[in-house]
Amino acid sequence: MARHLITSAIPYINGIKHLGNLVGSQLPADLYARYLRGRGHEVLFLCATDEHGTPAELAAAKAGKPVAEYCEEMHGVQAEIALGFRLSFDHFGRSSSPQNHRLTQHFAGVLADQGLIREVSETQMYSPTDGRYLPDRYIEGTCPNCGFDSARGDQCDNCTKQLDPVDLINPHSTISGATDLEMRETKHLYLRQSAMKDELEAWIDSKTEWPVLTTSIAKKWLNDGDGLQDRGITRDLDWGIPVKKGDADWPGMEGKVFYVWFDAPIEYIACAQEWVDAGKGADWESWWRTDKGAEDVTYTQFMGKDNVPFHTLSFPATILGSGEPWKLVDYIKSFNYLNYDGGQFSTSRGRGIFMDQALEILPADYWRWWLLSHAPESSDSEFTWENFQQSVNKDLADVLGNFVSRVTKFCRSKFGEEVPAGGGYGPQEEALIAELTRRVAGYQAHMDAIEVRKAAQELRAIWVAGNEYLQSAAPWAAFKEDPERAAVIVRLSLNLIRLYAVLSAPFIPDSAETMLAAFGPGARRDWPAGDASDFEALPAGAGFTVPENLFAKITDEQREDWQSRFAGTRG
Ligand SMILES: [Zn+2]
């Protein structure tokens, strides 16, 4: 039994995420956590909401709520949807927690002590009317390029030209409309990432088993252009973690907060503290401090490719730079993008299927199966309704659901609701057991390597093998001539249902639970041992009930209805 720390990239607070976000980090992380728990390992699986920064302020303003209240509410919404998708976090924390405040201030303090923080003077737009500095997105004016009158400080949405707020003609504050804006000098703290380039590069180079997608992105940021750049860790905002040097004030930094990219990954650690403070765990340091037991922890992170630079460089710079014995990530699993029906998912344009909408139309397992079996691992992948319908109807309904239904109903009608006795294995059973023993080992190998699509393919092949066996062994025909022969086929097939439930639980936990529940609370739930005993866990005489139909097929009418409903903008 090993100890596994698993984190999913933390979703931003400003709204409900779409299915592309889900499959890019939270869902495969959950798959892996469930698999490792199933195999008997000790797992701590953490996620949280990322709550600071300008977009949270803007979203709160749009919702007409104070930002703290907005974040608390949205955290609750996201937590409930995560539960709906059966994401089995041990704790779903918040980057705005007091624990993260303290820890972020602590890291800034020790990084300063190590000489890795420098002060930089910059000029930024200040609004005396609003009494604050304005981030680029809070400034609008006329585009100098095309004359569009609502160009933002960072970009013109009409001609897409990248802008600097000083380029705008007649700039004004989007908060108050004030036009008396002025450039003021302001000081910020920078993390000296450039000073850590060699140490970071040596660390990345030691990770020879990491996916190429992960290491290639890291190497690009390390070496392209002028190489790894120092990065600002503070902002002139109200909403965020106040800049402090540990517990002490930071002269010259009054009224400033840490930049969201700096405090967000530190929440991975703070989240473990929140987990303990919520009474769910006893000791967070044994997961995070290598001087307190975390030496034997394997730490795996899940994220979309856009998050790779922060996790391979910026967060490790924070950890390594502190000089303290914090646990570094052992393996980073990154994902490409999932596209939606000929285009991109888009939160800002409301395009695609959002997590709440998905659960309104179908149970979580349908989505989990499709998303994981089509995870964008080696390249981007695409959701289409046709493919989704086909995958659900074939894999889940025709193959798995049909097998469970036929076996249990046939047994009930011929032998009653208990595992039948009599008969012995023949060549067909020997061949099936040999095939499944080999395939289960293959499935485990893919899961150990976090090869999500390959694992799904192998699992499907395991389901198919049982179906083909049932079809060719044909207990309904054998029963007339040789009931003992039918009994052994049914006994093995009932055992396959239990085996399928255990193996499938990481992908489709609710359906797996329904399958296991058919055999009563005493049914064995242990992971297959990899030998003949896996096929005899349910002895003759063990009772069962015929479960409800596991999966309903998606009709063409439903598919067309959903296709048009989700084609436009989220209402
Ligand atoms: Zn323009």
Side-chain angles (χ1 to χ4, degrees):
M1 179 161 142
R3 301 175 68 222
H4 286 271
L5 174 62
I6 300 171
T7 58
S8 159
I10 64 177
Y12 199 70
I13 193 70
N14 66 341
I16 292 163
K17 304 296 126 181
H18 55 63
L19 295 184
N21 300 129
L22 178 65
V23 76
S25 57
Q26 290 180 325
L27 189 55
D30 180 70
L31 176 81
Y32 191 52
R34 285 178 177 273
Y35 167 71
L36 291 175
R37 288 191 203 111
R39 299 217 57 186
H41 297 301
E42 192 183 351
V43 172
L44 181 61
F45 176 25
L46 302 173
C47 191
T49 38
D50 177 7
E51 303 192 359
H52 295 131
T54 313
E57 279 194 311
L58 286 170
K62 200 174 163 192
K65 289 178 179 159
V67 62
E69 187 184 319
Y70 171 82
C71 287
E72 184 169 1
E73 201 176 296
M74 284 311 300
H75 174 81
V77 169
Q78 292 205 18
E80 189 164 331
I81 294 173
L83 211 60
F85 273 95
R86 307 295 183 250
L87 301 176
S88 59
F89 308 133
D90 290 294
H91 190 71
F92 187 56
R94 303 181 60 189
S95 70
S96 62
S97 68
Q99 291 88 341
N100 199 37
H101 276 234
R102 280 196 302 275
L103 200 57
T104 299
Q105 290 163 344
H106 166 81
F107 271 111
V110 292
L111 287 166
D113 293 343
Q114 299 282 349
L116 289 168
I117 302 278
R118 63 185 172 95
E119 280 188 17
V120 174
S121 279
E122 295 173 342
T123 52
Q124 204 188 332
M125 203 70 94
Y126 184 84
S127 167
T129 304
D130 299 306
R132 60 177 287 174
Y133 287 93
L134 298 178
D136 294 352
R137 299 187 199 196
Y138 279 18
I139 307 162
E140 278 186 10
T142 301
C143 174
N145 189 47
C146 72
F148 179 58
D149 64 1
S150 301
R152 281 200 323 257
D154 54 348
Q155 190 180 16
C156 172
D157 278 342
N158 187 49
C159 71
T160 75
K161 188 178 166 62
Q162 303 282 314
L163 297 170
D164 208 278
V166 290
D167 299 336
L168 294 172
I169 301 159
N170 302 322
H172 64 269
S173 158
T174 60
I175 305 170
S176 61
T179 54
D180 57 337
L181 308 184
E182 56 191 54
M183 293 305 281
R184 278 197 189 175
E185 192 165 286
T186 177
K187 270 193 208 163
H188 283 293
L189 302 179
Y190 273 64
L191 178 60
R192 295 179 58 217
Q193 298 190 137
S194 59
M196 299 193 61
K197 177 182 178 279
D198 292 346
E199 194 178 348
L200 287 167
E201 187 149 31
W203 176 66
I204 301 271
D205 285 341
S206 74
K207 302 297 178 189
T208 49
E209 79 290 4
W210 281 10
V212 176
L213 179 64
T214 304
T215 48
S216 63
I217 293 172
K219 297 289 266 189
K220 192 169 146 59
W221 278 61
L222 275 168
N223 297 311
D224 275 15
D226 295 329
L228 189 61
Q229 298 297 299
D230 295 347
R231 211 178 161 99
I233 63 166
T234 55
R235 298 277 270 167
D236 289 298
L237 288 178
D238 290 332
W239 174 241
I241 298 175
V243 176
K244 283 187 151 196
K245 195 182 275 185
D247 296 330
D249 289 338
W250 204 311
M253 289 293 134
E254 296 81 7
K256 297 176 196 288
V257 299
F258 286 107
Y259 210 146
V260 60
W261 75 260
F262 183 69
D263 75 64
I266 296 171
E267 168 62 15
Y268 291 142
I269 307 175
C271 189
Q273 300 181 8
E274 292 170 44
W275 168 71
V276 169
D277 293 344
K280 299 176 187 172
D283 177 11
W284 67 269
E285 288 184 309
S286 76
W287 291 97
W288 274 108
R289 295 281 300 211
T290 54
D291 58 338
K292 294 185 177 167
E295 203 67 85
D296 69 354
V297 168
T298 303
Y299 177 22
T300 308
Q301 292 176 340
F302 287 80
M303 69 200 64
K305 61 185 170 188
D306 51 327
N307 268 318
V308 168
F310 297 100
H311 290 78
T312 52
L313 302 170
S314 300
F315 185 43
T318 300
I319 298 256
L320 286 167
S322 74
E324 296 177 336
W326 298 102
K327 176 75 191 165
L328 272 166
V329 66
D330 293 299
Y331 192 78
I332 294 182
K333 176 71 180 180
S334 55
F335 289 85
N336 287 287
Y337 296 136
L338 177 69
N339 293 318
Y340 176 75
D341 220 0
Q344 287 179 331
F345 277 93
S346 167
T347 303
S348 57
R349 284 180 291 119
R351 187 169 193 282
I353 313 161
F354 289 76
M355 287 170 73
D356 56 338
Q357 299 171 323
L359 290 178
E360 279 163 20
I361 60 174
L362 285 170
D365 280 358
Y366 292 49
W367 299 107
R368 289 179 63 108
W369 173 251
W370 189 90
L371 289 167
L372 289 167
S373 61
H374 294 78
E377 284 178 304
S378 55
S379 60
D380 291 354
S381 60
E382 186 176 26
F383 178 93
T384 66
W385 286 99
E386 289 80 6
N387 186 303
F388 178 65
Q389 178 191 29
Q390 190 183 20
S391 183
V392 164
N393 290 1
K394 277 195 160 169
D395 299 351
L396 296 182
D398 285 346
V399 179
L400 180 60
N402 190 37
F403 179 79
V404 172
S405 168
R406 283 170 90 187
V407 171
T408 52
K409 284 179 181 162
F410 177 75
C411 185
R412 181 174 63 185
S413 73
K414 302 298 182 199
F415 299 101
E417 287 181 310
E418 63 173 48
V419 178
Y425 292 159
Q428 276 182 303
E429 287 71 36
E430 302 291 353
L432 175 70
I433 288 170
E435 181 187 352
L436 288 184
T437 304
R438 178 174 56 79
R439 287 197 181 280
V440 169
Y443 174 64
Q444 288 172 185
H446 293 316
M447 289 291 257
D448 287 334
I450 325 180
E451 299 273 11
V452 177
R453 286 176 89 135
K454 286 183 185 166
Q457 276 167 22
E458 198 63 59
L459 181 61
R460 187 181 183 281
I462 289 169
W463 299 340
V464 167
N467 246 343
E468 287 176 349
Y469 163 75
L470 189 67
Q471 196 57 33
S472 74
W476 40 88
F479 186 78
K480 293 166 199 154
E481 307 287 322
D482 183 359
E484 294 250 311
R485 174 73 194 136
V488 74
I489 298 167
V490 170
R491 189 165 66 248
L492 178 56
S493 297
L494 286 167
N495 269 283
L496 287 188
I497 295 175
R498 190 208 69 89
L499 180 68
Y500 288 177
V502 173
L503 292 174
S504 309
F507 280 89
I508 46 171
D510 286 350
S511 311
E513 193 53 44
T514 303
M515 288 157 73
L516 276 174
F519 300 106
R524 274 172 49 189
R525 289 163 176 262
D526 50 316
W527 194 261
D531 57 37
S533 71
D534 297 332
F535 305 90
E536 293 157 7
L538 299 169
F544 74 91
T545 51
V546 174
E548 291 289 308
N549 210 8
L550 285 178
F551 306 101
K553 284 195 183 185
I554 296 172
T555 65
D556 291 347
E557 293 72 37
Q558 283 175 314
R559 189 200 70 215
E560 283 159 20
D561 172 38
W562 294 331
Q563 208 156 13
S564 62
R565 180 150 31 130
F566 293 102
T569 308
R570 179 185 173 95

